Amino acid sequence: MSSLRGQANHGLYLASLLLGAWRRDLAAEDIPASVLAQAYGPAVRGHLLDAYGWFLLDLQKPAQLPATPPHSVPALPPVAPGKAVPVEITEFARLEQRGWLAELVQEPGAEQPRRSAASLAAPAANLPDPDHLQALAQRLDDAFARVGDFLDEC
């Protein structure tokens, strides 16, 4: 396993740790679910995006690695002259446009109204859900395994 794929798996692991903590905090019922969603949701999403970015870099194998992983195909470093874009990257780009990856890579809250500086209340709509983020994490893990297995066989 490459170190980039290891980084991708580590990102999934960190997301799973946060999802577990989120569920424990929800079960404790000490903090409102909406506050927990605001605390955990962006962090889980960040780890999933990092995992996805490291995996994309592993597929592309750029000559120069960026300091931080890209969070989408368009954010990847340019392909070296004379080198083809891997077909897997093209497939992930399609899924980012109109597939299950679209909601992960789309910046959340762009359509939400801003709360006033005087109010700490956050809008209840569009808050992340641990089950939904867990499902996205599982789909990423499945995609990493499927594509990784295929590449390992080549």
Side-chain angles (χ1 to χ4, degrees):
M1 177 185 303
S2 77
S3 65
L4 291 172
R5 199 170 321 165
Q7 288 282 61
N9 288 337
H10 185 67
L12 287 175
Y13 175 67
L14 295 175
S16 74
L17 290 176
L18 284 175
L19 285 163
W22 190 354
R23 286 193 174 89
R24 284 190 300 277
D25 284 348
L26 279 171
E29 297 182 351
D30 293 333
I31 301 169
S34 62
V35 174
L36 292 173
Q38 292 171 63
Y40 285 110
V44 171
R45 181 177 174 271
H47 286 304
L48 294 177
L49 285 169
D50 284 351
Y52 177 57
W54 289 123
F55 192 75
L56 289 175
L57 288 169
D58 188 42
L59 293 175
Q60 187 187 43
K61 300 186 183 347
Q64 181 79 22
L65 288 177
T68 59
H71 288 170
S72 65
V73 170
L76 281 168
V79 175
K83 188 175 177 185
V85 175
V87 68
E88 297 83 6
I89 298 273
T90 305
E91 177 62 16
F92 282 123
R94 187 190 63 75
L95 290 170
E96 286 180 15
Q97 293 300 310
R98 54 190 169 283
W100 63 270
L101 279 171
E103 62 186 289
L104 179 64
V105 299
Q106 178 184 1
E107 191 63 37
E111 68 287 344
Q112 290 182 348
R114 286 261 191 229
R115 62 179 179 245
S116 71
S119 171
L120 292 179
N126 300 322
L127 288 176
D129 171 77
D131 293 333
H132 185 69
L133 287 172
Q134 179 65 56
L136 284 175
Q138 186 60 54
R139 289 193 83 166
L140 275 178
D141 190 35
D142 292 346
F144 293 177
R146 180 179 46 82
V147 172
D149 289 348
F150 173 75
L151 294 176
D152 289 345
E153 290 176 7
C154 294

